[in-house]
Amino acid sequence: SELIRGFLLSGMLCPSSCPPGLLALMAPGLALMATFSLPSQAGDRRTLPVEKPSGVKGRTLILLDVNTKSPVRIISENFLSLQLDPSIIHDGWLDFLRDRDCRQGAATCSAWQGFLCKELQRLVVSSEVKKGCRNHLTEDIVRSDIALDKQKGCKIAQHPDIMLELQREKAAQMHLVLLKEQFSNTYSNLTLTARSLDKLYNFADCSGLHLIFALNALRRNPNNSWNSSNALSLLKYSASKKYNISWELGNEPNNYRNLIGRSVNGSQLGKDYIQLRSLLQLIRTYSKANLYGPNIGRPRKNVIALLEGFMKVAGSTVDAVTWQHYYIDGRVSKVTDFLKTRLLDTLSDQIRKIQKVLNTYTPGKKIWLEGIGATSSGGMNNLSDSYAAGFLWLNTLGLLASQGIDVVVRHSFLDHGHNHLVDQNFNPLPDYWLSLLYKRLIGPKVLAIHMAGLQRKHRPGRVIRDKLRIYAHCTSYHNHNYVRGSITLYIINLHRSRKKIKLAGTLRDKIVHQYLLQPYGKDGLHSKSVQLNGQPLAMVDDGTLPELKPRPLRAGRTLVIPPLTMSFYVVKNVNALACRYR
């Protein structure tokens, strides 16, 4: 049986005119212990955090301008993408991705147009491609299948509520099993049948997503080369179904010793990828298929050595180089971690390390961050799935785009942990709403910003880490609410005091649309619900997303950024030269 590593879906979230039932995507936020002076649903008011002025004082007026002549970076249209963990096969959630109730999450998924990646992480998965063979783990809880009919469209299975309840109980039990395996570092095999692959592909295809399937590299020959026999069976089956799939091999190859008792160096891994490319070229359907890798872990010294060995041998074989990043060890993280600017900045150093290797061996090669989350080890409840986690997530998107990283793949849409975008009722979590706004408002062209009023005196030996982070892009061409030439700012305020921003230069005296995201309810930064411009966000029904209404601000008005918040501002009718054409 063939070990697989994962699937990846990515794409562009639809504009506000998207038909109902399209997957919009994403959820968790970041947890932090603080409350806001915001009215809750019951009309109560919570205390506003007070901070003694330090560095930039609360009364400081910040002047902001944007270079509208040319972009500094242009990223992929599918920049923000999505992962599914193979645990959805293990615990049975794969069947319910096609359910009418999943359309809450799928109204969150189909709003994407792009990639879906099946990601193994540390779970050992075996896939056995046999026609008619059922996955013994799913049993017969769900008998109806999604049907892909090019004439009639995609049919959504409808399951009684009692089946969803049974599935939640089963998933909860499986979650304990997976945690035990994770902490003991012993993993059980999982059979992926042809039936399961069909369900996965149809879910991606019906949602307008492109599937990237990661084959398992753990099957090794005695000489430590990759045993591709079962992968070939899977490739032939997929080709017989004419599935449009891209491919990858392995996951965190730097950890193979922990999984199979022996390591694989960069040179051997490169040879394995060349072998996979040769297999793809033998199959007409995949002769020109995209291949990505090697999906290394955090680029420490030994991992960089592995990447260098891989690039020497197979740098020209892959269409993009991939790696993973998780900010915090999920077993020890606490709420205050998510406000630390030092933590937000750890990603910059990793990007530089990866870029240095690629500039040496394959200048210009695209880079993907394929696996990103607030915490590792599945995350933590009320932390990595809360509003506060969004500070890390939005800063990650801004930082990666500004550094020219072509695609970022969020882990995960739905899995057994707490890094996901929707909960087990398929209700969107905070990072989902954050991602949906990003998809609808942010285009691929990145613009340079210029600020005045933030200067601080440098102290020897001390790094200045800004708590006010501002990024600028051309507004998405797919959003027909705004004419081409408009600009979108997104702002993270980690201060416990409000900040005032005056738009200057080409942005002066323009009408602005505000999309302010704040936690909703009494839990503050721990909240798993959010409000947009003071209105709570929730699904209208199983297949309909709410209208994301902006708050218009009069021309020339100062932007007032509340403490500990994330926000988007569309500056209308700027007629920016960089944004007029695609």
Side-chain angles (χ1 to χ4, degrees), residues 546-577:
E547 183 180 357
L548 303 179
K549 295 181 180 180
R551 179 190 175 194
L553 305 179
R554 62 174 172 78
R557 179 174 175 175
T558 298
L559 306 183
V560 179
I561 316 299
L564 300 171
T565 57
M566 297 166 281
S567 51
F568 296 81
Y569 294 89
V570 179
V571 187
K572 300 181 63 179
N573 305 319
V574 178
N575 198 27
L577 179 63

Side-chain angles (χ1 to χ4, degrees), residues 443-462:
K445 292 184 178 180
V446 185
L447 305 175
I449 63 172
H450 307 284
M451 289 191 295
L454 275 176
Q455 293 87 352
R456 283 174 288 177
K457 189 173 181 179
H458 177 66
R459 299 180 184 178
R462 182 178 178 182

Side-chain angles (χ1 to χ4, degrees), residues 60 104 111 146 156 180 236 240 266 268 285 331 389 407 443 452 469 510 519 533 541 543-544 565 575:
T60 301
Q104 292 188 34
I146 191 168
I156 302 296
K180 183 178 180 180
K236 288 180 177 178
S240 72
Q268 180 58 59
T285 302
R331 289 169 288 189
V407 170
R469 299 179 179 229
K510 302 295 183 183
N533 295 325
D541 55 41
T544 308
T565 57
N575 198 27

Side-chain angles (χ1 to χ4, degrees), residues 21 30 108 459:
L30 208 40
T108 45
R459 299 180 184 178

Side-chain angles (χ1 to χ4, degrees), residues 16-29:
S16 57
S17 58
C18 266
L22 286 186
L23 294 175
L25 191 70
M26 330 246 11

Side-chain angles (χ1 to χ4, degrees), residues 73-80 397 400-407 438 442-446 473 490:
R73 308 281 185 190
I74 301 178
I75 54 178
S76 170
E77 289 277 358
N78 298 323
F79 172 71
L80 178 46
L397 295 173
L400 292 173
S402 65
Q403 294 296 317
I405 303 304
D406 199 51
V407 170
Y438 189 97
I442 303 299
K445 292 184 178 180
V446 185
H473 288 238
Y490 49 110

Side-chain angles (χ1 to χ4, degrees), residues 8 83 105 125 158-159 189 214 216 238 241 280 287 336 363 447 453:
L8 156 72
Q83 273 183 2
V125 182
Q158 295 191 15
H159 304 130
N189 286 345
N216 188 357
S238 299
K241 305 285 283 189
L280 295 174
S287 60
T336 52
L447 305 175

